[in-house]
């Protein structure tokens, strides 16, 4: 972890400027009838989960270019996640991926306590073969034509739930790559029937206070059809499985041009929004840093979430899910967590009563201007003040770089050579 | 209508060649274990509805360039539709659009008898203002914020049902343009609640033996959000309304790259496929001629439909829905009807037992080759023979051109001047 | 025009708050080493042209829903444009479209003087038939197979240049809808050869101090192929024509997901960026209000423009080109002009020396953070102060609504009934 | 290689049926004025190159699932490629990828002679790090900010040319992954300037009778911007480099909905079409089997190529470039080579004089019907007869499966375990 004194020293340098900005913003907001303190408190209470796999350098099918100090195992990953939370105060929990993060539950809990973290939704993996799974997922997992492969995949999910139960998780996210690469390769209907049957077996193993999140994705790794290809199919699944089944929305898993915030609204309306995998994309499932490509879209998603606050049973999980190919993953995750907070803070500034009036009157121009006014407010002082007050860093990236954490772990963790992706 | 003797004379010229091609194909297919006569009979029994509005020249928001002999009213349109069916034998019914086609039911029935046609699904129109509707649909219809506008739109739909009932239709297709052009212009959830409430009122007016088709569309005329934007929302609607509510799939109403045949399969599986608006597209809702851009996609849709034949309650409506901007609409509709038949015939040739085996064995290459083998079979002799045997034209376009029908109606119907589209 | 005293009165109400916000921002920016006054001066000197056709309510091929007080002719349009400039101080010029805006040059100049406006690039129109053009553009204009149609289209462009010359314009924008709706309808190569030959004839008629802008568009009104379909073809054209030929970029005319700011950079690098049609889009050529869907993309475009300031010969034309279907066009154009100014102001705040250092060091995270820092700065006080100081309105929409201008012209201009679009 | 007697025996079984089909088709075509023998001869003379890397199982960033008998090195790959050519008679050459296929030129030539193959275009690789390259390509290669990295990449390309020269290749294909993942990460203009400078250095090393192919791609592995992102930039490069520089078109490297056949026509018109990487795609750069998703699009591309036959200097390279994730790569490459032949044969059937007449007359319907008539002709007997006559297999997949080649090499080549892709 980072030396607290160093963080404090770093904060001390910028505190005066921050207070000036914060006060000016507070005055401005008070003229708009908004209490900056209340916004700050909500932001301070907000957290987004970090994916354990996000702290390693990502890659493409063409290549992977690791950085220094790549985490070797789940404990290294938790160390890195701990730093992210320490500096941002915004990422109190970690989402594990099994088998990548398999470990003794007691050791996981101990490490979590050490790093000040808890465990968010568990993730199973049947899109890769496992060393200890005799059967291959080359042609599918939960929807495979062979019942034995389906059973193997179900068993794995049940084990993941079991591990999660022991470490305090309350949900499992099931994403599979099942689909096809050729017209005719699979029978869409039979395949989905098999999927549903297998998913019901997993659902049956769910503890009472758990939720099951299924995640749709348009394509990749399957390139002609994907079993859970969009929110329509995802919604069907959640309906078929039962009250503990919800739909997870990954911002990068949709067809070009799709209005994602509208899908979010539909799932909220019908009580089936389970949560998010936040990231950003320009082309496909690019897994770029959240808010890096289209920050207004992120705001529009949060506009729906803030509008739904207080709806009975509305409690979506928030998680980052990104691939960091050209940045230090710790830095990207810190910045992304703050971008999520930023969108949340901006959405909190929307004058909803006024907006509703414009909507009722079909005053499209003033309605959209009402959203834009909230979006263009620079809420950075609010985020920074929330961090300052909880002992995190006013400027997490600067503090992180100053800490030389990366150099330290690079010395402890063996170098990883660059490697090819799937194509070699 | 076209002189039957002329058709016969035209057919006589090509009959010998057709029989040669048909016999050669018959022999080839018999080696593949297929009885060409059975395929021909199924093709002969197949029909697709023609949209009344399709016989007029279409346009874009930029311009409309009418052709000669534009139909002036529903009776002219039925004349044109009659010619299409006479020459192709493939389009026994017509789908009307109200108020465009409003007329006395008795007159409609008389004209239908005269032209040998029946009436397919009725279409209501609340995406344009009506001369006799006091309120505007500028800001929506079934989902408008003003209850009076919603009621006006509901009433119109009920009237359309009533007219349809009198002329023997058994279904109504509800497509609306409601949506928004700006983030924030509408509240997605409130808007959809209003839509559902209004749609239930229409559903309540449905005769027992009728079906209600709702149609999704990604965008246009609304450019930021659309109430019924995709099959997921469409499916929700069909579920909310009841057993007589079904989803209509227009091939051009999806996001780029979407796997439409898979959506078709999902809706069949869950008993909610109502039917089709056939057309083709390269970019958006281009409304190009069916099969003109991606004939293999059309085949893959029919592959799902043929696979579902015999499923209890499976009875989708088939309709063309195209905009003919640069061709004679009669010619385009004839060719498109034959393209639909072609895809149907090709799909009938798929060796389904063999395909199933390859699917079960994950033999992707042979599975897809099985589809391709059916697709690449040139079934033109089957289609032409079916036409010949029912007294239609072996080559409908040639027979139509030889008939000088267009010149005849051009003399009877006043010339229409080119006009601007929506932008001027 | 709007009563100046009313504007002043309206400004007086908000001036104190504006000064507070402006001063706070000034202090903040000075801590970042930026002189707010210099930014304000650049913003104050910036102008974007308004399209004459933009002040009328737009429509789609499905319908057009006019508002009250639709302009009847170019003089009404200039009145409306004058109001936009009066209130925003940001739109000093108007772009005319011929034949829609055809009028006596002396009358146009007189009206321009009265409204305080000048004339930007002229627009020709060969995507619609003209009452006084004997030949139709149904199958193309500059690339038509018939030489007589091509000549007619060339002649029209030459006349537009002639009119423009008389009213002080210095450029013509040539956008055509030529293309095809079916594979095989046209020979791509022959069609482009014909286009180039005709374009050269127009180019030959260009006065020495004029520029010719050609504009690419992926599709619509042609739906299978378009002659000038992308910037690649557009660049070829500019190369073939000569030094006075440049490429115009309309933000809504690209394929899904395309990186437009990169195209802008390429055209700048090779000396062929002519200018912009600003608008925004989510799906196709939606012609939504500039910055309404993806304001960060607009900023990234301006980031390229600001980076290129000072490059020899770099002088792109800036114009709005939008369709206002659900708003008061005057309001939309005012807000859009301010959004363009906003993006410009934000781009001016980018610390380019620092950015260059991060780029050189491949510090992707800090490079993108440098852009984001500029983007998220709320520059509204700068824009508003620039308006205040030049006698425009601090809040143009409020001032406009308070002025009752729309009600006034609604009384003077006859009501227009809603109409169908191209499909009926 | 496969036992020739087995191929002959397999052919003997189907020869009679083939001759029946061929004769029937011949009669049919003669009625259309086409000599089937001439078409067959052109098809027989046509060849498409196989990519050496295509014979190994591909993968995604999520996983790779190898099959049995994965080739261990370039010599195993050439054995597999030899089988493909032996059975199809359609793939006389192989395209190597360096360093993957690095070997002694004499050994490569010997193996080529043994397998009956020649060497097509060489491919360099600077999208992955090389064991013997001291500098990393993580942040680019030919466009890297560091001159030393650029030089290293240039040197590699020169070495690839040198190796290619020794083995009889006449071209190098340069595809790089350079780009960025974040707005601001790179300066588009500086990056392209660096690219052009480096590319000129490679060009300078080109033997007189060689060609340099540059290949554009919209995205991946870079996800915000790519240096050679589209054909516009690719064309600029070919112009800047000189007469031996040409553009390579990979069918899967374009934005959604783009009209690729039109790009092909443009590059032909301006003398810069270098060749193709054939494959198919539904979403992104899926690298699916050629013609498996949209066979009509493939036909439309070949329609342009056949139309350009005989144009001076027109000699595009044809190569498959696919990723085989769920099939036996040998089978996929055989089927894909035949799909390319099929599209070529269909394009040869287009009645071009008639087509030109319809185009001239703007008879869109008959023009597109002319293309469709050629496309829907089942040319399989022509392809099969060409194979039979040259001693290849009438049914290559059946013959291959009967040969048990895969089992044989599986016994000789060690098993490869499934592996993760770039994300772990």
């Amino acid at each position: 972890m980072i030396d607290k004194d160093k963080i404090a020293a770093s904060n001390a340098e910028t505190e005066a400027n921050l207070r000036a900005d914060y006060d000016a913003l507070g005055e401005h907001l008070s003229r708009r009838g908004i209490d900056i303190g209340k916004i700050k408190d909500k932001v301070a209470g907000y957290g987004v989960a970090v994916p354990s796999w996000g702290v390693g350098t990502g890659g493409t099918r063409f290549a992977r270019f690791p950085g220094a100090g790549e985490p070797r195992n789940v404990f290294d990953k938790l160390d890195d996640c701990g730093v992210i939370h320490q500096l941002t105060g915004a990422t109190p929990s970690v989402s594990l991926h099994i088998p990548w993060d398999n470990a003794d539950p007691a050791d996981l809990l101990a490490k979590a306590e050490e790093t000040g973290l808890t465990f968010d939704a568990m993730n199973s993996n049947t899109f890769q073969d496992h060393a200890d799974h005799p059967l291959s997922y080359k042609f599918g997992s939960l929807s495979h034509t062979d019942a034995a492969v389906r059973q193997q995949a179900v068993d794995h999910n049940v084990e993941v739930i079991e591990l999660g139960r022991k470490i305090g998780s309350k949900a499992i996210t099931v994403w599979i790559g099942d689909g096809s690469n050729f017209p005719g390769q699979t029978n869409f209907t039979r395949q989905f029937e098999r999927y549903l049957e297998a998913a019901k077996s997993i659902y049956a193993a769910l503890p009472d206070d758990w939720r099951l999140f299924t995640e749709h994705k348009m394509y990749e790794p399957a390139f002609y059809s994907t079993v859970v290809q969009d929110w329509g199919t995802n919604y069907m699944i959640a309906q078929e499985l039962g009250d503990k089944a919800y739909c997870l929305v990954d911002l990068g898993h949709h067809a070009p041009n799709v209005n994602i915030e509208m899908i979010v609204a539909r799932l909220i309306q019908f009580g089936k929004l389970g949560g998010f995998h936040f990231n950003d994309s320009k082309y496909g499932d690019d897994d770029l840093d959240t808010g890096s490509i289209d920050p207004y879209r992120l705001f529009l998603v949060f506009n729906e979430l803030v509008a739904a606050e207080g709806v009975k049973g509305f409690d979506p999980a928030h998680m980052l899910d990104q691939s960091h190919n050209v940045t230090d993953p710790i830095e990207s995750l810190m910045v992304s967590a703050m971008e999520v907070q930023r969108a949340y803070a901006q959405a909190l500034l929307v004058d909803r009563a006024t907006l509703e009036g414009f909507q009722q009157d079909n005053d499209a121009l003033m309605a959209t201007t009402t959203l834009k006014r909230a979006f263009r407010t620079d809420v950075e002082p609010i985020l920074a003040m929330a961090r300052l007050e909880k002992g995190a860093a006013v400027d997490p990236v600067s503090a992180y770089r100053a800490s030389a954490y990366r150099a330290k772990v690079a010395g402890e963790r063996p170098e990883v050579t660059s490697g090819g992706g799937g194509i070699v």
Side-chain angles (χ1 to χ4, degrees), chain A residues 2-331:
Chain A
I2 313 291
D3 182 341
K4 286 185 181 181
D5 291 345
K6 284 194 180 166
I7 298 175
S10 163
N11 286 353
E13 285 175 38
T14 54
E15 185 172 340
N17 287 346
L18 169 58
R19 291 203 180 278
D21 287 339
Y22 183 82
D23 290 347
L25 179 60
E27 278 185 44
H28 170 82
L29 289 176
S30 77
R31 287 198 295 271
R32 284 161 59 182
I34 298 169
D35 178 347
I36 193 172
K38 288 187 180 165
I39 304 295
K40 187 198 61 190
D41 290 347
K42 293 200 107 176
V43 169
Y46 177 87
V48 62
V50 166
S52 70
W53 60 96
V55 291
T57 297
T60 71
R61 66 176 169 133
F62 294 99
R64 193 172 86 89
F65 301 98
E70 292 285 324
R72 294 158 296 181
N73 51 44
V74 65
F75 302 105
D76 282 356
K77 293 178 195 173
L78 288 168
D79 279 335
D80 291 358
C81 293
V83 166
I84 294 166
H85 185 46
Q86 187 188 15
L87 292 173
T88 64
T91 61
S93 61
V94 178
S95 197
L96 299 188
H97 216 296
I98 307 302
W100 301 340
D101 297 327
N102 230 337
D104 185 282
D107 294 344
L108 289 170
L109 284 168
K111 189 70 183 182
E113 192 173 355
E114 175 195 333
T115 51
L117 299 166
T118 60
F119 293 106
D120 202 72
M122 303 295 292
N123 296 269
S124 59
N125 177 338
T126 60
F127 51 84
Q128 294 179 319
D129 285 345
H130 298 204
D132 60 345
H133 284 195
L135 302 172
S136 171
Y137 298 121
K138 181 169 188 169
F139 296 104
S141 58
L142 295 177
S143 76
H144 199 286
T145 54
D146 181 348
V149 178
R150 298 199 298 274
Q151 189 59 51
Q152 178 182 277
V154 168
D155 291 346
H156 166 66
N157 275 278
V158 173
E159 288 165 16
V160 170
I161 293 171
E162 185 54 23
L163 173 59
R165 212 182 45 74
K166 289 176 182 162
I167 61 175
S169 174
K170 294 293 179 194
I172 181 171
T173 297
V174 179
W175 173 70
I176 61 168
D178 294 34
S180 71
N181 275 7
F182 292 88
Q185 179 184 340
T186 65
N187 179 305
F188 296 136
T189 305
R190 297 293 96 74
Q191 192 178 36
F192 191 38
E193 286 170 349
R194 294 190 297 263
Y195 172 87
L196 285 171
E197 185 197 24
K200 284 173 185 169
S201 297
I202 299 170
Y203 186 84
L206 218 55
D208 284 349
D209 59 346
W210 271 54
R211 289 186 291 173
L212 173 70
F213 301 142
T214 49
E215 186 176 355
H216 59 274
K217 184 176 182 181
M218 192 195 201
Y219 73 99
E220 195 207 25
F223 291 113
Y224 165 65
S225 73
T226 294
V227 176
V228 191
Q229 90 279 24
D230 63 12
W231 79 274
T233 292
N234 204 352
Y235 176 68
M236 281 174 163
I237 295 166
Q239 279 193 313
E240 292 288 312
L241 295 190
D243 288 349
K244 294 182 290 186
Y246 293 86
C247 303
L248 191 90
V249 175
D250 181 299
L251 298 186
H253 287 193
H254 302 83
N257 302 343
V258 159
N259 187 323
I260 299 173
E261 54 270 27
M262 195 169 171
I263 292 173
V264 170
R266 286 284 182 273
L267 290 173
I268 292 172
Q269 183 175 354
F270 283 76
K272 284 298 190 187
L273 180 69
F276 290 92
H277 276 181
F278 291 118
N279 51 55
D280 212 335
S281 66
K282 184 157 182 62
Y283 304 100
D285 184 31
D286 307 333
D287 277 331
L288 296 180
D289 286 18
T290 303
S292 64
I293 299 298
D294 189 350
Y296 192 48
R297 180 167 54 187
L298 183 66
F299 163 80
L300 291 174
V301 167
F302 268 91
N303 181 48
E304 297 301 321
L305 299 181
V306 168
E309 278 186 358
V311 168
K312 189 172 172 302
F314 178 69
D315 182 26
H318 288 198
M319 197 178 90
L320 298 172
D321 183 12
Q322 308 176 160
S323 181
H324 311 106
N325 301 351
V326 297
T327 56
D328 182 325
I330 289 176
E331 295 186 3

